[in-house]
Amino acid sequence: MTLARLAALHGVATAYAPSAGVTVPVPDITVTEVLAALDVDAGTPEAIEASLAAAEAAGARRLLPPTLVLWQGAPPELPRPLAALPPGTELRITTEHGDEVSGTPRWERLPLGVHRLEAAARDGRTARSALVVAPARVPQPAGRGYGVLVQLYSLLSARSWGMGDLGDLRELAGWAGRALGAGFVQVNPLHAAVPGTPTDPSPYRPSSRRFPDPVHLRIEDVPESGYLRGEDRAALDALTGRAGELREGVLRKGDLIDRDAVWVLKRQALELLRQVPLGPGRAAAFRAFRAEQGQALTDHATWCALAERYGSDQGQWPAGLRDPRSARTARARDELADRVDFHRWLAWLTDEQLAAAAHGARDAGMDIGIVHDLAVGVHPGGADAWAQADAFAAGMSVGAPPDAFNARGQDWGLPPWRPDALAASGYAPYRDLLRGLLRHAGALRIDHVMGLFRLWWVPEGREPTEGTYVRYDADAMLAVLVLEAHRAGAAVIGEDLGTVEPGVREALQRRGVLGTSVLWFERDWTGTGRPLPPETWREDCVATATTHDLPSTAARLTGEHVGLRHRLGLLTRPLEEERDEDAQEVAEWLAYLRELDLLPAGPRDEEAEIRAVYRFLRRTPARMTGVWLPDAVGDRRPQNLPGTWDQYPNWRLPLSDARGRPVTLEELAVSPRLHALMDELRRGTAPPTGPPDARLL
């Protein structure tokens, strides 16, 4: 019990409930190792007693927690820590703009922001806390709208260098907004990847979530590309020709998208462009970007320069370089000053093109624009983990406990943030991350949004089944999220699929965070098991037919996804049993669509069935409907097949039609199948429970 009390004080679970009425104890060794990652010694009974006594004594002495939250418009009661301060405690607030408030603060009049709160009690105790003052909710979409979901790398145009890029994103947004009436384009995370051969192609295991990857740059859109002359111009033209061969290999010869090959060519092109002097205006803009991004950009660029020289495996770096604040690292930064500035320049160019894509979306009439994606974590050997080592739990990995879909649990290989370090910093790393991602976002999707509340930590060397939950201060995490989204004027979407503890969806809804509802999962799981009627779906969500981790709608309707998983040895039951169950589920959905007069009777027609699926989604009250772009052309293959690595080309497939032939952006724009589907979205369908919404797109 002593260990359990100690664990509870640090937010570490000693048991968890995988389903209603079932409680699973966490092994003591797991609890001990997780506590050790939080610098709490629980290795022996004596150590447990000492650590518990120290934690309880510290709690008794503490005037205030390291971070406090005030919600604007909330009831007038103060947060409990403030209300519990001893009589006569003096308070002083310094706002983030440097203004001072002393005496008895008018809490309801404090400006939005992250301020410094200092307290001095009469008994001599003092405290300093970060005070987060946040609006009640994040900005909301204007009415009910629809848009497209796409993995950007998969959408090539006639100008791409072997994979989709930010120029393609700008074109896609401009076309989808004007020609399709779409209100948004949602893309995969564009975070910087860990360099190497081969690079991990997953956008969900990045080196840095704070800065985007320059592999997404459109070289021709860098202004300096127009000023190359002589041999440099010839060299760039030669690289453009080789890029065309990469593109044609993917589009016409069945090649997979090769991110590494694309980056080899783009890096050479960018080295050429770097030799072109910036004009006065652009030089000033670059200086302003460097100043604005500050230490975070310097750290990122330094890591990139070090990885360029010594490789991306930090274990092979010279002694001293694994600490971003060491004297050895400072000397290396000076020695590599030109390369550090090169990587700063790449970040600036990428930021410029992200801004251009966002502007293009708004100019095309999109009310939301580009929806960016925040991965749940970072690579343990990448730039963020290096630059912010104190904020991450060493020897731990984020994953998921065993559940009905995966009896072995999951280990995602991503180090978790330490909740104590976040709180002590006033959530500075988290604030900076959100601010960077929201610079050019109309909305932000948060992968595994349940991680704002708790994460499953797996100690290094242990199975995912031997992990445990570690709790975060969800009120503070949400307050920072709401504050930064408010400042950016951006909506927030939480990916809340899978196991969600009670109260999480309600807390997210209260703060205006939209959920994610996927057609095939929306059933009456506690009753008949039948599909949920469209009018019973939640309003505060993005309604979709599928995701990047699930089969396309065509594959689902035809059962081809079962055959694929069988060929790869991923089925846990006999093939016929899996096929029969899948066919029964599809038949049930099709019958329901006919019952609702969304699908005409008669012989099966794949395109008509897909249109009926999206008619159904538009009949729900969902604020946003997302069209998986591969569905618009009948693509059969998933972009990612969980449970596979080299058995399947995850994250390397181009958008393709029903025959597996890659489809370019230009071909997409004139696709009769796509336009027939999008016409259904354009017409829209009012929720059957009320009158049409005048704001329907």
Side-chain angles (χ1 to χ4, degrees):
M1 291 299 294
T2 306
L3 179 61
R5 286 168 54 200
L6 178 62
L9 288 175
H10 295 280
V12 180
T14 54
Y16 68 98
S19 58
V22 177
T23 300
V24 177
V26 173
D28 285 354
I29 186 62
T30 296
V31 176
T32 299
E33 290 176 349
V34 169
L35 286 171
L38 296 171
D39 297 327
V40 178
D41 186 0
T44 65
E46 295 77 17
I48 294 173
E49 292 285 355
S51 294
L52 179 60
E56 290 177 337
R61 292 193 306 270
R62 185 180 300 120
L63 270 181
L64 292 172
T67 298
L68 283 166
V69 171
L70 283 178
W71 295 99
Q72 274 194 346
E77 301 90 34
L78 287 176
R80 185 178 302 171
L82 288 173
L85 287 171
T89 300
E90 294 184 1
L91 299 176
R92 183 173 64 181
I93 296 171
T94 305
T95 72
E96 62 181 17
H97 298 298
D99 299 322
E100 289 197 3
V101 179
S102 57
T104 303
R106 299 288 297 272
W107 301 102
E108 72 280 3
R109 295 190 177 182
L110 287 175
L112 297 175
V114 181
H115 315 308
R116 185 172 74 246
L117 171 63
E118 296 171 284
R122 288 178 175 175
D123 60 9
R125 289 180 295 160
T126 61
R128 176 180 290 185
S129 296
L131 179 63
V132 183
V133 182
R137 289 167 61 83
V138 299
Q140 299 295 292
R144 296 176 64 242
Y146 61 88
V148 296
L149 320 176
V150 65
Q151 299 284 291
L152 180 59
Y153 59 83
S154 73
L155 181 60
L156 283 72
S157 71
R159 298 177 180 177
S160 306
W161 283 34
M163 62 182 283
D165 59 36
L166 292 172
D168 296 319
L169 177 58
R170 187 186 67 251
E171 290 286 350
L172 172 64
W175 164 67
R178 292 186 175 90
L180 305 180
F184 64 91
V185 173
Q186 179 179 306
V187 296
N188 55 284
L190 304 182
H191 308 323
V194 177
T197 305
T199 299
D200 186 341
S202 171
Y204 291 93
R205 200 164 183 256
S207 169
S208 174
R209 296 185 294 175
R210 175 62 186 81
F211 293 98
D213 199 311
V215 75
H216 299 111
L217 283 169
R218 169 67 63 83
I219 297 298
E220 293 85 351
D221 288 351
V222 177
E224 286 67 39
S225 67
Y227 298 99
L228 287 178
R229 298 290 183 267
E231 293 182 358
D232 287 345
R233 167 53 59 185
L236 181 61
D237 290 344
L239 290 170
T240 303
R242 290 166 59 191
E245 295 172 4
L246 278 182
R247 178 180 61 247
E248 291 305 301
V250 172
L251 295 176
R252 309 291 175 234
K253 300 178 182 178
D255 293 347
L256 297 174
I257 292 170
D258 188 340
R259 180 190 183 110
D260 294 335
V262 172
W263 178 236
V264 166
L265 298 182
K266 288 192 176 182
R267 185 182 64 233
Q268 293 179 52
L270 289 161
E271 297 283 6
L272 291 171
L273 298 183
R274 181 91 190 293
Q275 306 310 312
V276 179
L278 296 176
R282 283 181 57 73
F286 181 32
R287 287 194 299 272
F289 178 78
R290 286 184 302 183
E292 180 184 16
Q293 301 303 311
Q295 189 64 48
L297 177 60
T298 296
D299 286 341
H300 176 71
T302 300
W303 185 90
C304 291
L306 291 171
E308 198 173 58
R309 170 165 290 191
Y310 300 111
S312 58
D313 182 359
Q314 294 175 36
Q316 303 302 313
W317 289 8
L321 293 182
R322 296 171 209 172
D323 178 359
R325 304 292 170 251
S326 72
R328 178 68 183 88
T329 298
R331 289 196 301 273
R333 184 181 295 114
D334 290 340
E335 294 165 4
L336 298 170
D338 182 68
R339 299 311 296 170
V340 170
D341 206 48
F342 174 73
H343 290 287
R344 289 193 187 103
W345 177 71
L346 294 182
W348 173 58
L349 294 181
T350 313
D351 185 79
E352 282 195 318
Q353 293 194 8
L354 284 168
H359 178 78
R362 291 192 299 270
D363 194 48
M366 288 188 167
D367 60 339
I368 295 176
I370 308 299
V371 180
H372 286 284
D373 198 351
L374 172 60
V376 70
V378 295
H379 193 286
D384 283 1
W386 175 78
Q388 301 171 358
D390 292 344
F392 289 95
M396 295 290 140
S397 176
V398 174
D403 56 27
F405 301 99
N406 193 327
R408 299 185 62 185
Q410 301 174 59
D411 183 346
W412 302 331
L414 309 169
W417 263 333
R418 289 179 53 156
D420 57 337
L422 286 179
S425 71
Y427 292 82
Y430 179 48
R431 286 188 277 130
D432 291 344
L433 169 62
L434 292 173
R435 197 169 298 135
L437 285 169
L438 289 164
R439 280 172 64 84
H440 308 301
L444 180 65
R445 175 190 179 271
I446 300 180
D447 193 41
H448 193 71
V449 73
M450 296 82 78
L452 301 181
F453 296 76
R454 65 179 186 176
L455 282 172
W456 185 258
W457 287 23
V458 181
E460 184 177 354
R462 301 204 173 275
E463 295 297 320
T465 53
E466 300 176 282
T468 190
Y469 280 113
V470 176
R471 191 160 294 282
Y472 293 76
D473 184 342
D475 204 40
M477 297 288 278
L478 283 172
V480 171
L481 173 63
V482 172
L483 174 63
E484 294 301 334
H486 171 82
R487 286 171 161 170
V492 178
I493 302 158
E495 186 270 296
D496 56 351
L497 304 174
T499 302
V500 184
E501 67 175 321
V504 166
R505 287 196 174 104
E506 293 78 7
L508 293 170
Q509 183 184 44
R510 189 160 57 250
R511 298 305 168 199
V513 177
L514 304 180
T516 301
S517 293
V518 177
L519 180 89
W520 306 96
F521 300 155
E522 293 298 311
R523 289 176 169 270
D524 179 10
W525 295 110
T526 60
T528 64
R530 283 177 51 81
L532 288 178
E535 66 271 15
T536 66
W537 282 40
R538 53 182 171 169
E539 176 183 354
D540 299 320
C541 77
V542 178
T544 70
T546 188
T547 75
H548 58 266
D549 283 333
L550 296 172
S552 69
T553 305
R556 177 76 72 168
L557 292 171
T558 60
E560 289 190 23
H561 69 108
V562 177
L564 173 62
R565 294 177 64 238
H566 170 67
R567 291 192 298 274
L568 295 174
L570 298 177
L571 297 183
T572 57
R573 295 181 297 171
L575 174 61
E576 291 307 314
E577 188 176 332
E578 293 271 3
R579 278 180 171 164
D580 288 347
E581 181 177 300
D582 184 72
Q584 181 179 348
E585 182 182 9
V586 169
E588 187 175 23
W589 268 104
L590 294 179
Y592 189 48
L593 293 174
R594 293 190 185 97
E595 181 183 325
L596 296 175
D597 292 326
L598 296 174
L599 178 64
R604 290 197 60 180
D605 180 334
E606 177 189 307
E607 291 187 43
E609 291 170 357
I610 292 176
R611 289 196 295 270
V613 163
Y614 283 97
R615 287 190 197 106
F616 178 94
L617 294 179
R618 284 295 278 168
R619 185 172 284 192
T620 73
R623 301 293 294 274
M624 297 168 65
T625 301
V627 179
W628 179 234
L629 204 52
D631 279 354
V633 290
D635 201 343
R636 298 292 202 268
R637 300 177 298 180
Q639 282 295 314
N640 178 51
L641 190 58
T644 63
W645 177 243
D646 56 0
Q647 308 98 314
Y648 185 80
N650 296 315
W651 318 113
R652 290 175 287 169
L653 293 171
L655 180 72
S656 301
D657 63 17
R659 296 171 295 168
R661 184 185 68 85
V663 177
T664 66
L665 176 56
E666 292 83 1
E667 292 167 335
L668 197 70
V670 296
S671 165
R673 177 169 180 162
L674 177 140
H675 281 278
L677 173 61
M678 297 307 295
D679 282 347
E680 301 290 345
L681 278 293
R682 184 192 292 277
R683 281 191 284 271
T685 306
T689 55
D693 189 331
R695 296 171 296 176
L696 280 174
L697 292 175

